[in-house]
Amino acid sequence: MHPVMIVPHKQIRGRPKKRFTIPEAFDILALMKGSKERRPDPAGWGSRCMAASSRQECPMPCVRLRLLSQTECCGKSLFFLASAERSLYKEERNDMNFLNAFVGLFSNFGNLTWQMAVMWGIGALLIYLAIAKKMEPSLLLPMGFGAILVNLPLSGAITQGAVIGPVSALFEAGMSNELFPLLLFIGIGAMIDFGPLLEKPWLMLFGAAAQFGIFFTLFLAGFFFDLRDAASIAVIGAADGPTAIFVANTLHSRYLGAIMVAAYSYMALVPIVQPPVIRLLTTKKERLIRMPYQQSSVSRLTKILFPIVVTVIAGMVAPSSVALVGFLMFGNLLRECGVLNALSETAQNVLTNLITIVLGLTVAGQMTADKFVRPDTLLILALGLVAFVFDTAGGVLFAKLLNLFLPEGRKLNPMIGAAGISAFPMSGRVVNKMGLQEDNQNFLLMYSISINVSGQIASVIAGGLILTLMG
């Protein structure tokens, strides 16, 4: 039964001083009129309240209404029956509403999981590597920040129910149809000078040999994943982020986020991963082999025809690679044609930088805790490392194989074979640096960069072959 109070007319807006039960209130009203008996009201609410008092409930709708039918006059002032709950606790309710609203500001903390906190740590690590270690900062920084952004509880950056987030919208606009990786290939193609490779076309063999790790990992990953996911994971060994994204997206891999992180991370880790593998597979004597470089000229017509011929051949051998190879070669044609310098510079700088930023954020959109923090992710990272190591080993061992048939004085430094992976130009620089560490007059840069360029083409073709094999 709700308590009621008797409020002097002049204090209706003030804070009431005393509360009474409904029966007590009618007794007081009767006494104020000089009667010792309870006075029934015209509407009969008093009797109903009295009857209800034994059941400990109140039939009066007095929470919202001061009943005019309960008005009594003692000759001095008017008195009203009113709900004590409404009047007494109005301010307390306002206080509670404010407190609840304040507490509601922090209610999202209850949606935080330890997996999200792990992803924050991964995002922070990527940002640290980008800034402190300068490891692929244009990629790792957007990926690191994006990883934190999309792993906030109920993050508005990604789709939540019927509300489409901007990062998810970017993914649908440019990643689900492979548009962003292909646009990035235009910029990469515009950056590459195929001149040194065209001077010595036989160096393309090293680029092909350095793709061995892709197919070895495809076989190995097949024991743990279905064939399409295994193929997507294997392409990590190409050390080519856009190719890995394109293949994984085309094959609809469930592990797109982990594959992209592994591909770009290992690209950045070339200076750490490759040197131990090279030293393990070569002797001191082999690393000291000098390879004098004799520069020759390549005609402009050759440089113009090269991207066209490569596109046609790749399209005939591996039709699925046409988009990858074609966009890469189109970018190179912009560079070599000599009449579109403004477009070439735009592709090398503005386009590449813009797509890299967007690509990093959209990649991070797939790094949500529910997709990333799982045992499969660690296995994918391990298999990606295997592919990377065996790619490096494939190039080095191929050079050692050729040395078995070459006479003294024309032998190759096996280290140049390691540059056949697609991590351009990092791998070429690593090989040249190792050569100088062994002998400060052993300059391998032109050979290693040429092979590195051939690896760029070979990795794209290898990705196309994988897509062709997967149907």
Side-chain angles (χ1 to χ4, degrees):
M1 184 172 61
H2 292 296
V4 297
M5 63 180 178
I6 299 177
V7 188
H9 182 266
K10 295 180 181 180
Q11 296 182 9
I12 288 178
R13 295 183 180 274
R15 187 178 180 87
K17 302 297 183 180
K18 194 169 184 178
R19 290 178 294 169
F20 302 93
T21 64
I22 290 174
E24 291 173 339
F26 279 97
D27 286 343
I28 294 172
L29 288 172
L31 290 172
M32 293 175 69
K33 290 291 292 180
S35 173
K36 294 185 179 181
E37 297 182 357
R38 294 189 180 113
R39 209 178 144 94
D41 59 289
W45 284 104
S47 58
R48 291 174 61 185
C49 290
M50 290 292 292
S53 65
S54 61
R55 299 194 303 271
Q56 298 299 308
E57 61 184 27
C58 178
M60 295 177 62
C62 53
V63 171
R64 295 189 177 184
L65 180 68
R66 292 183 176 90
L67 297 175
L68 296 179
S69 62
Q70 299 291 347
T71 301
E72 296 288 347
C73 180
C74 64
K76 296 181 180 180
S77 180
L78 293 176
F79 288 80
F80 295 86
L81 285 176
S83 168
E85 184 174 344
R86 176 179 176 86
S87 302
L88 267 177
Y89 299 112
K90 184 175 181 180
E91 292 184 13
E92 285 82 350
R93 283 184 175 182
N94 289 337
D95 293 341
M96 288 299 295
N97 289 337
F98 174 78
L99 182 60
N100 289 337
F102 181 76
V103 172
L105 294 175
F106 303 94
S107 62
N108 201 27
F109 281 87
N111 298 316
L112 181 64
T113 65
W114 67 268
Q115 291 94 336
M116 292 178 180
V118 169
M119 292 308 301
W120 293 357
I122 293 174
L125 176 62
L126 294 177
I127 293 173
Y128 170 78
L129 293 175
I131 297 175
K133 302 299 182 181
K134 298 181 180 179
M135 296 170 62
E136 292 293 317
S138 60
L139 287 168
L140 295 190
L141 184 62
M143 286 171 59
F145 185 81
I148 297 173
L149 183 68
V150 302
N151 283 287
L152 295 169
L154 303 179
S155 172
I158 56 177
T159 298
Q160 302 285 352
V163 181
I164 299 176
V167 174
S168 300
L170 280 174
F171 183 87
E172 292 298 326
M175 289 293 288
S176 60
N177 53 14
E178 295 87 37
L179 179 61
F180 290 161
L182 292 176
L183 290 176
L184 186 59
F185 265 112
I186 295 177
I188 294 172
M191 295 178 188
I192 297 176
D193 180 11
F194 288 115
L197 178 62
L198 294 174
E199 292 176 16
K200 296 175 173 57
W202 57 273
L203 293 176
M204 292 185 186
L205 296 173
F206 290 95
Q211 309 309 312
F212 168 73
I214 294 177
F215 298 95
F216 175 79
T217 305
L218 172 59
F219 169 76
L220 187 62
F223 291 102
F224 306 99
F225 300 93
D226 64 54
L227 198 55
R228 288 181 172 269
D229 286 328
S232 302
I233 294 167
V235 180
I236 295 173
D240 185 352
T243 301
I245 293 171
F246 186 88
V247 172
N249 229 9
T250 303
L251 296 178
H252 304 290
S253 174
R254 295 172 295 169
Y255 306 101
L256 181 60
I259 289 170
M260 289 188 283
V261 170
Y264 280 112
S265 297
Y266 289 136
M267 283 176 62
L269 294 174
V270 165
I272 297 174
V273 176
Q274 279 202 308
V277 178
I278 295 172
R279 291 192 183 95
L280 181 65
L281 297 175
T282 58
T283 64
K284 177 76 172 179
K285 182 179 178 181
E286 289 174 326
R287 294 195 294 271
L288 288 171
I289 295 175
R290 292 187 179 185
M291 296 180 62
Y293 184 81
Q294 295 179 347
Q295 187 172 3
S296 58
S297 62
V298 178
S299 67
R300 180 185 174 193
L301 179 60
T302 301
K303 291 184 176 181
I304 291 174
L305 289 177
F306 178 73
I308 300 173
V309 172
V310 169
T311 302
V312 172
I313 294 175
M316 298 301 294
V317 175
S320 298
S321 70
V322 168
L324 287 170
V325 177
F327 276 66
L328 180 71
M329 291 302 157
F330 173 69
N332 186 251
L333 187 59
L334 291 178
R335 175 193 178 97
E336 301 298 347
C337 70
V339 295
L340 295 173
N341 292 332
L343 288 182
S344 176
E345 292 177 3
T346 300
Q348 294 180 47
N349 299 294
V350 178
L351 177 64
T352 300
N353 291 335
L354 179 61
I355 295 298
T356 299
I357 292 173
V358 176
L359 190 65
L361 289 174
T362 51
V363 166
Q366 301 301 303
M367 294 174 62
T368 53
D370 59 323
K371 297 178 181 178
F372 202 88
V373 184
R374 48 197 299 181
D376 291 345
T377 300
L378 296 177
L379 183 57
I380 290 170
L381 294 174
L383 289 170
L385 181 60
V386 169
F388 198 81
V389 168
F390 275 84
D391 272 352
T392 302
V396 173
L397 293 176
F398 180 71
K400 290 170 72 75
L401 177 65
L402 292 180
N403 280 342
L404 296 177
F405 305 97
L406 294 175
E408 289 294 334
R410 297 191 61 186
K411 291 189 180 294
L412 306 173
N413 190 318
M415 291 193 298
I416 64 173
I421 65 172
S422 182
F424 177 84
M426 291 83 73
S427 185
R429 291 173 180 170
V430 166
V431 170
N432 181 63
K433 182 178 179 181
M434 291 185 67
L436 292 174
Q437 287 174 345
E438 300 291 340
D439 178 358
N440 59 12
Q441 297 300 313
N442 191 8
F443 298 98
L444 302 173
L445 184 62
M446 295 307 295
Y447 285 100
S448 61
I449 288 295
S450 298
I451 293 174
N452 206 178
V453 168
S454 73
Q456 186 77 56
I457 300 173
S459 67
V460 172
I461 295 176
L465 286 172
I466 291 288
L467 291 176
T468 301
L469 290 173
M470 295 297 107

